[in-house]
Amino acid sequence: MSEAEEGEIDSADDSNFFEIEDTADPSIFNIDSAFGATNNEFLYIIKFSEDPDTREYSFMLGLSYLESDDDDDEEDANNDIFTWENLSLNYRPLFLDLIQLFISLPELFASRYRDCVMSSDALVWSVEESHRFLTILEQARQLNFSDSIIQTISLLNQEYIFVLRSFENLTITQFEINNFFRKCQLVYDACQVYEKFGVGELVNLSRHHCFSDNFILNLYRVVAEFNASDQSLNSKFLNILTD
């Protein structure tokens, strides 16, 4: 999260910053209100805005760790994970591609992990397989996605290439795969917030210039779904591996 955005959220008083409750009435919120929704150890910050020139809507999505009791000095606690800016409906096709990429990884890695365990021959990844994140990254740059999103995808691409090399060197471990999926999970869940919540609200805002009647309920449900650990990317990987 940038310093400007942190200051904007930190300075928000009780009238324009809300921690989401499923019983709240969305009609009381201004368009530029900031919303917080918690899940496990994470806090999602969401804030919509309208471009005064184009009259088009977008939103900011920030993800950070919840402050723990160990965070005695609030200023020194670095809990921010990433902040995505200017999320609009134009981003949807690429976000859907990114979601499908995440969904496909558990089966791909389980299959290759079996091959790695059962063979002493080096594994070789095709160009298409090794460029999966890179392809999305290049498209994001061409479409002028915000730097915050490009940085997130770029970091994942670096992690992905590192894991592929471990496969090729036959040094891959389940711990390494789990660590990679843990990082993917944060981005995958944020993509789900965009797709399952943000898209509908952007459409409603463009049509009616207000939040939908189910604004709070939809966000509450989407974030609550992340509590199902058996649906995590790593759990799916392990389930496929042991079938």
Side-chain angles (χ1 to χ4, degrees):
M1 186 178 298
S2 69
E3 292 182 2
E5 288 163 341
E6 282 183 338
E8 186 175 11
I9 291 174
D10 290 342
S11 63
D13 57 29
D14 291 340
S15 66
N16 63 354
F17 180 79
F18 304 88
E19 185 169 349
I20 296 302
E21 298 178 358
D22 59 342
T23 57
D25 180 2
S27 66
I28 68 174
F29 304 132
N30 297 321
I31 296 300
D32 61 352
S33 298
F35 303 92
T38 59
N39 159 262
N40 294 326
E41 71 268 37
F42 301 110
L43 169 66
Y44 294 85
I45 297 291
I46 296 169
K47 184 174 182 180
F48 288 84
S49 60
E50 180 185 14
D51 188 304
D53 298 323
T54 65
R55 307 291 292 179
E56 293 182 353
Y57 291 91
S58 63
F59 69 97
M60 177 273 291
L61 173 60
L63 177 63
S64 62
Y65 292 106
L66 288 173
E67 293 180 5
S68 67
D69 295 337
D70 296 332
D71 294 334
D72 295 329
D73 190 339
E74 201 169 301
E75 292 184 358
D76 291 338
N78 184 15
N79 294 325
D80 301 328
I81 301 174
F82 57 73
T83 298
W84 292 348
E85 304 164 346
N86 304 321
L87 294 169
S88 69
L89 290 173
N90 295 331
Y91 286 24
R92 193 182 186 197
L94 202 59
F95 267 93
L96 289 175
D97 288 344
L98 191 56
I99 288 172
Q100 289 304 312
L101 171 51
F102 287 128
I103 291 174
S104 69
L105 287 179
E107 183 174 359
L108 175 65
F109 279 7
S111 174
R112 286 306 182 98
Y113 188 79
R114 290 195 194 99
D115 293 342
C116 187
V117 170
M118 298 178 63
S119 174
S120 60
D121 297 330
L123 298 179
V124 179
W125 297 90
S126 68
V127 173
E128 181 180 359
E129 288 171 330
S130 60
H131 286 188
R132 298 187 72 183
F133 279 100
L134 181 61
T135 298
I136 291 178
L137 178 61
E138 291 176 345
Q139 292 174 347
R141 286 171 173 157
Q142 292 172 3
L143 295 172
N144 294 320
F145 274 40
S146 65
D147 291 342
S148 55
I149 299 175
I150 289 176
Q151 181 182 24
T152 299
I153 301 174
S154 179
L155 290 174
L156 273 186
N157 179 60
Q158 294 175 25
E159 296 283 347
Y160 179 66
I161 295 301
F162 183 82
V163 171
L164 296 194
R165 287 173 179 166
S166 292
F167 269 104
E168 291 176 342
N169 296 330
L170 302 180
T171 60
I172 191 68
T173 63
Q174 289 191 31
F175 175 82
E176 189 174 352
I177 294 173
N178 175 54
N179 188 51
F180 173 69
F181 277 143
R182 182 174 55 83
K183 296 174 182 178
C184 287
Q185 192 72 47
L186 300 177
V187 182
Y188 176 59
D189 289 347
C191 290
Q192 296 288 3
V193 173
Y194 170 86
E195 173 60 23
K196 294 183 178 180
F197 166 75
V199 168
E201 286 306 317
L202 288 173
V203 170
N204 195 80
L205 282 168
S206 65
R207 293 175 178 173
H208 307 294
H209 305 285
C210 64
F211 295 125
S212 70
D213 292 340
N214 294 322
F215 175 90
I216 301 302
L217 184 60
N218 289 341
L219 181 56
Y220 183 85
R221 285 175 173 172
V222 170
V223 174
E225 287 177 359
F226 303 153
N227 288 317
S229 59
D230 61 331
Q231 295 301 309
S232 70
L233 296 173
N234 191 61
S235 294
K236 292 178 179 178
F237 162 74
L238 293 175
N239 289 338
I240 296 171
L241 192 63
T242 56
D243 281 346

